[in-house]
Amino acid sequence: MSKQITICGDLHGKFDDLLVILHKNGLPSAENPYIFNGDFVDRGKRGLEVFLILLLCFIAIPGAVYLNRGNHEDIIMNQRYGFIREVQSKYKKNHEKLLKLIEGVYRYLPLGTIINNKVLVVHGGISDSTDLEMIRSLDRGKYASLLRPPLSDSSAPGSEVINKVEWKQKL
Ligand SMILES: [Mn+2]
């Protein structure tokens, strides 16, 4: 088990900042793990590079990197804050396919990381009305965007209400 863990927030497409952090604080490893606490993309020019390097670390170095979903890991946010334009300009032919894949990855990013069963790290913090048990029980793959509630996939009475209550917990 590592002695320390580094929590890093809101890179927002600043690839140079990521490199400086890794240079000064050391490359991610099981002994030097990082939590990247969401908002990898939008605003900066190199969101794709940031996100791909983080995903690569996640896959290539087990236990080195934990990735939380921020409010910008959301395809509708990306339309407003620049990441869609970035991907379109870098991948003129394949941007649609790539963005579909990215949307799929967003759905499976966890909302939070728990350190030593004591500290919960989430991008937006929690409020008085946050129901941690409900968050634990969420099927996170259901949510492509926090800005639009999911369509109810059941015609059972009340199912849409439940979905909206669940969805609100994520805001
Ligand atoms: Mn942010």
Side-chain angles (χ1 to χ4, degrees):
M1 191 185 269
S2 64
K3 288 189 186 138
Q4 63 157 28
I5 186 157
T6 303
I7 303 172
C8 176
D10 295 61
L11 284 162
H12 276 306
K14 303 280 171 60
F15 190 59
D16 293 350
D17 289 358
L18 174 61
L19 296 185
V20 169
I21 290 163
L22 297 184
H23 179 68
K24 292 197 167 180
N25 195 57
L27 292 175
S29 66
E31 294 73 42
N32 188 32
Y34 287 76
I35 297 172
F36 289 97
N37 194 24
D39 284 12
F40 315 126
V41 301
D42 280 334
R43 300 205 165 103
K45 289 184 180 152
R46 299 174 81 187
L48 198 55
E49 288 85 344
V50 168
F51 196 32
L52 290 177
I53 287 285
L54 295 182
L55 290 172
L56 190 74
C57 290
F58 179 82
I59 293 166
I61 323 166
V65 160
Y66 299 85
L67 303 176
N68 288 345
R69 187 175 186 178
N71 59 315
H72 284 265
E73 278 63 64
D74 183 314
I75 221 79
I76 296 177
M77 286 295 270
N78 297 161
Q79 281 166 12
R80 294 185 198 169
Y81 292 94
F83 185 52
I84 300 263
R85 280 191 299 280
E86 180 192 330
V87 176
Q88 284 169 341
S89 75
K90 288 177 181 170
Y91 289 85
K92 298 227 172 0
K93 283 192 188 149
N94 293 312
H95 58 89
E96 273 177 32
K97 228 188 250 174
L98 191 56
L99 285 165
K100 272 240 150 59
L101 286 170
I102 290 169
E103 185 181 348
V105 175
Y106 286 168
R107 286 170 181 263
Y108 286 96
L109 289 173
L111 298 178
T113 302
I114 300 171
I115 305 171
N116 284 356
N117 233 356
K118 273 191 188 150
V119 181
L120 172 66
V121 182
V122 287
H123 179 77
I126 57 171
S127 75
D128 291 352
S129 61
T130 304
D131 180 342
L132 293 177
E133 280 310 311
M134 181 185 273
I135 289 178
R136 192 194 291 274
S137 72
L138 284 178
D139 170 10
R140 64 188 183 225
K142 226 164 46 177
Y143 296 89
S145 173
L146 305 186
L147 302 176
R148 276 187 211 144
L151 293 173
S152 172
D153 50 11
S154 160
S155 57
S159 62
E160 205 197 350
V161 175
I162 290 167
N163 276 347
K164 282 196 176 144
V165 171
E166 242 185 47
W167 176 69
K168 274 191 177 154
Q169 281 291 322
K170 295 197 65 191
L171 292 177

